[in-house]
Amino acid sequence: MSINNRFKQIIKSHRPVLVDFYAEWCQPCRQLEPVLKAVKNTFKESIRILRVNVDHNQSIPSQFNVKNLPTLILFQSGSVKWVKEGMVETSELTHMISEYVEKTVQ
């Protein structure tokens, strides 16, 4: 299965999937790493976090019109639920994700 097909399978999940589009050379992307770890610790198995290196996987970001780094996109059941370019605080990201995680738990 190609990376592109595997990605499409993952984002079809009913469980929210947060995709972090990043690059190794991107300083704000590195600063986002502790935020993503905090979010993962908060939601545990209720969310999946997937990191896509845009230098290694150029077709995936182009499909979603990713122009700036970092870009976070929240998918659920194959649909884009939320997009954020640039840095985001842990509290903002947690609040946004909680709306979708709670819907899946009910």
Side-chain angles (χ1 to χ4, degrees), residues 14-69:
H14 185 63
R15 177 173 64 157
V17 179
L18 180 66
V19 180
D20 170 28
F21 292 95
Y22 78 101
E24 295 292 330
W25 48 262
C26 169
Q27 187 59 35
C29 298
R30 289 189 199 138
Q31 294 170 337
L32 192 58
E33 287 179 31
V35 172
L36 296 175
K37 285 180 183 174
V39 166
K40 183 62 178 170
N41 286 337
T42 298
F43 293 106
K44 310 260 187 262
E45 297 304 314
S46 299
I47 187 170
R48 182 168 185 174
I49 297 177
L50 188 65
R51 299 189 75 220
V52 176
N53 185 319
V54 299
D55 292 331
H56 298 152
N57 303 293
Q58 296 175 356
S59 66
I60 295 171
S62 67
Q63 291 174 40
F64 298 99
N65 205 27
V66 173
K67 301 286 187 209
N68 299 305
L69 298 179

Side-chain angles (χ1 to χ4, degrees), residues 65-99:
N65 205 27
V66 173
K67 301 286 187 209
N68 299 305
L69 298 179
T71 294
L72 297 173
I73 302 179
L74 183 73
F75 294 91
Q76 190 172 29
S77 302
S79 298
V80 173
K81 300 297 182 181
W82 185 83
V83 178
K84 173 72 175 177
E85 292 180 341
M87 282 301 298
V88 61
E89 296 294 324
T90 304
S91 59
E92 179 187 354
L93 190 54
T94 301
H95 175 75
M96 184 280 306
I97 292 170
S98 67
E99 294 180 33

